[in-house]
Amino acid sequence: MKLWGRILWTLLSGSRGRRGAPQGWAPNSWKPRSSLSGQLNATEVVSHWTQVFEQRGIPEARKSSEYIVAHVLGAKTFQSLRPVLWTKPLTPKQLQYIQELCSHRLQRMPVQYILGEWDFQGLSLKMEPPVFIPRPETEELVEWVLEEVAQRPPAVGAQSGPLILEVGCGSGAIALSLLSQLPESQVIAVDKGEAAVRLTRKNAQRERCNEGCLALVPWLYGWTDCEQWLYCWSKKGSFPSWSLKPRVMAYILCSPPPPHLSRLQLQDRIRIVPLDITSEGCWTHLLPWGPIDLVVSNPPYVFHKDMEQLAPEICSYEDLVALDGGEEGMDIITRILTLAPRLLNASGSIFLEVDPRHPELVSSWLQSRPDLRLSLVAVRKDFCGRPRFLHVRKSAA
Ligand SMILES: C[S@@+](CC[C@H](N)C(=O)[O-])C[C@H]1O[C@@H](n2cnc3c(N)ncnc32)[C@H](O)[C@@H]1O
């Protein structure tokens, strides 16, 4: 009940907080063109900001503009807005809020940070700079892990799903999406970044709250405040929770979720541990929870020399520690491979997201370390056809 009260307070204490927009950014000098102050509808505003972004060389101009306008109108995407909202004139408040968010985009802030939330594997996760924004290809890593888990025969006498260690959890995207799809599993999520650990905790709590709210939808039919919410839900299953009016949100949040609504219990099945895996003896912190069935990681793997080619969106806003993998991008990868055999069970596996140059580098590194008893058993390509995911298995002694 304490948690519900806190969430309720956050929601009622001002629209900026509610919408998850970035707080404390300096006011921007960008002024809207005079044509924007008239009776403009959402479609016209999207076109206006697309043009401004294009003129200023902002990547993905139209998408950025659509996401921002949709967000202000309570939807996840422009296409999922109720069609009537495409042509309905926006209020001065909405126009002002759109301008405020677009001014952050003009400063190359990623859309995910501007909106303050992003979807990953059907979960709506809070995004806060400088915590790494989950990339679409990482969803393929999660899908591969899920396929492998589905194919494994359950261990004799096992009561539950696999115990998973995620190294470098960031926003919690991998850990929470695995948990949400493996209801019997538990995850230990570690990260050396304080901000990442905090955000994973927030997202674990948030998902619990979303589960409750989602299942309360039928109670809300007939409430006109929920029209856009219900429209989005029926179209895409998306969840623009902030678009609910405080009265409705207060009602939802004050009602403790019935027991069956907490069935996924993400928060109860995740241990979030602040840990630098390069620190001496760090594995001893993890040992008591083992043996572990799977290690999953999207580690920092960018070659140091490639760091300077990263887009301004990344360099200026994301934590570079999340990306820089050292000279050949292998620093954290080799650390994980060195630690994992001590933590994994006899036939445990490691799944990694890597750079396309890494399958070969990892394969020859493993050959130079037969003492680890690990073999690279499969390499998978991403949606662009590049070899990006590795499955490494521990072999019997
Ligand atoms: C590429 S990000 C991945 C984040 C998240 N798993 C995802 O896919 O969105 C790498 C993460 O590893 C963490 N990290 C970097 N070095 C680490 C270390 N030595 N020990 C633990 N975590 C580390 C970073 O803080 C960052 O959150």
Side-chain angles (χ1 to χ4, degrees):
M1 203 57 203
K2 225 172 158 188
L3 169 67
W4 294 101
R6 266 209 316 275
I7 299 167
L8 177 60
W9 169 247
T10 314
L11 282 160
L12 298 178
S13 60
S15 61
R16 293 196 69 201
R18 241 187 318 133
R19 294 172 186 201
Q23 312 255 340
W25 293 91
N28 191 270
S29 57
W30 175 260
K31 294 274 179 289
R33 289 206 311 225
S34 51
S35 63
L36 257 195
S37 50
Q39 291 264 301
L40 287 171
N41 63 41
T43 308
E44 289 163 336
V45 174
V46 164
S47 300
H48 167 81
W49 281 105
T50 302
Q51 218 187 334
V52 174
F53 289 154
E54 278 168 359
Q55 281 163 1
R56 298 280 205 97
I58 305 296
E60 308 208 303
R62 175 157 290 275
K63 269 194 183 163
S64 301
S65 174
E66 284 185 350
Y67 272 125
I68 290 171
V69 172
H71 179 73
V72 169
L73 294 178
K76 294 250 162 149
T77 62
F78 196 71
Q79 290 65 34
S80 70
L81 274 173
R82 279 186 302 143
V84 67
L85 293 181
W86 292 335
T87 48
K88 186 177 167 187
L90 299 178
T91 66
K93 247 186 161 171
Q94 287 170 327
L95 285 172
Q96 194 191 344
Y97 188 42
I98 290 168
Q99 189 206 327
E100 197 186 315
L101 299 188
C102 287
S103 71
H104 293 306
R105 188 70 193 108
L106 286 172
Q107 291 164 23
R108 303 295 293 258
M109 182 186 264
V111 162
Q112 292 86 341
Y113 289 151
I114 296 173
L115 307 183
E117 60 186 12
W118 201 246
D119 283 3
F120 185 91
Q121 285 279 308
L123 300 180
S124 178
L125 300 172
K126 213 167 154 53
M127 295 290 124
E128 286 175 2
V131 181
F132 186 84
I133 297 165
R135 308 299 203 256
E137 57 267 37
T138 306
E139 302 203 37
E140 297 180 84
L141 175 70
V142 170
E143 279 156 21
W144 195 16
V145 175
L146 292 171
E147 280 171 32
E148 287 292 319
V149 170
Q151 282 169 15
R152 281 178 183 222
V156 183
Q159 299 291 307
S160 55
L163 174 62
I164 301 167
L165 167 67
E166 190 199 351
V167 177
C169 56
S171 62
I174 296 177
L176 294 171
S177 55
L178 286 175
L179 278 183
S180 72
Q181 294 178 71
L182 298 171
E184 304 285 302
S185 275
Q186 299 202 336
V187 172
I188 303 158
V190 307
D191 203 294
K192 82 170 193 183
E194 267 178 44
V197 167
R198 258 200 318 273
L199 189 56
T200 297
R201 287 204 175 114
K202 277 189 205 169
N203 277 325
Q205 288 180 351
R206 179 184 167 94
E207 277 316 312
R208 183 180 206 167
C209 161
N210 282 359
E211 288 158 28
C213 294
L214 282 181
L216 282 160
V217 168
W219 298 11
L220 299 170
Y221 277 106
W223 292 58
T224 51
D225 289 343
C226 298
E227 256 179 276
Q228 179 58 41
W229 197 100
L230 293 169
Y231 183 79
C232 289
W233 179 244
S234 64
K235 285 272 172 207
K236 296 232 171 210
S238 58
F239 181 54
S241 56
W242 62 262
S243 65
L244 298 181
K245 294 238 169 94
R247 187 169 54 100
V248 180
M249 215 55 204
Y251 176 75
I252 295 173
L253 294 171
C254 288
S255 333
H260 70 280
L261 301 184
S262 303
R263 71 194 187 287
L264 294 175
Q265 294 170 326
L266 301 192
Q267 207 186 353
D268 305 336
R269 294 188 287 121
I270 186 167
R271 258 174 227 275
I272 304 159
V273 185
L275 189 76
D276 181 345
I277 62 141
T278 61
S279 65
E280 200 54 44
C282 69
W283 59 279
T284 54
H285 296 280
L286 302 170
L287 215 48
W289 290 312
I292 283 160
D293 300 300
L294 297 172
V295 175
V296 184
S297 185
N298 170 20
Y301 59 72
V302 177
F303 285 44
H304 185 71
K305 64 175 179 338
D306 296 343
M307 289 293 291
E308 58 193 35
Q309 288 161 26
L310 297 175
E313 275 81 356
I314 301 174
C315 295
S316 312
Y317 294 96
E318 288 189 292
D319 184 1
L320 299 183
V321 166
L323 293 141
D324 192 343
E327 196 182 341
E328 288 194 308
M330 292 276 284
D331 289 4
I332 302 297
I333 295 174
T334 51
R335 186 70 188 150
I336 294 170
L337 295 173
T338 309
L339 284 179
R342 303 181 213 208
L343 303 168
L344 282 172
N345 72 26
S347 57
S349 284
I350 307 162
F351 288 87
L352 298 172
E353 179 173 328
V354 295
D355 180 274
R357 290 164 282 184
H358 282 140
E360 230 179 287
L361 287 172
V362 168
S363 171
S364 50
W365 187 85
L366 285 176
Q367 281 165 25
S368 72
R369 292 293 309 267
D371 57 306
L372 296 175
R373 299 201 311 276
L374 292 174
S375 14
L376 178 57
V377 291
V379 178
R380 205 177 248 208
K381 292 182 176 160
D382 66 10
F383 47 68
C384 299
R386 296 167 305 177
R388 295 289 309 286
F389 310 108
L390 306 182
H391 178 183
V392 174
R393 193 179 288 147
K394 185 170 162 180
S395 40

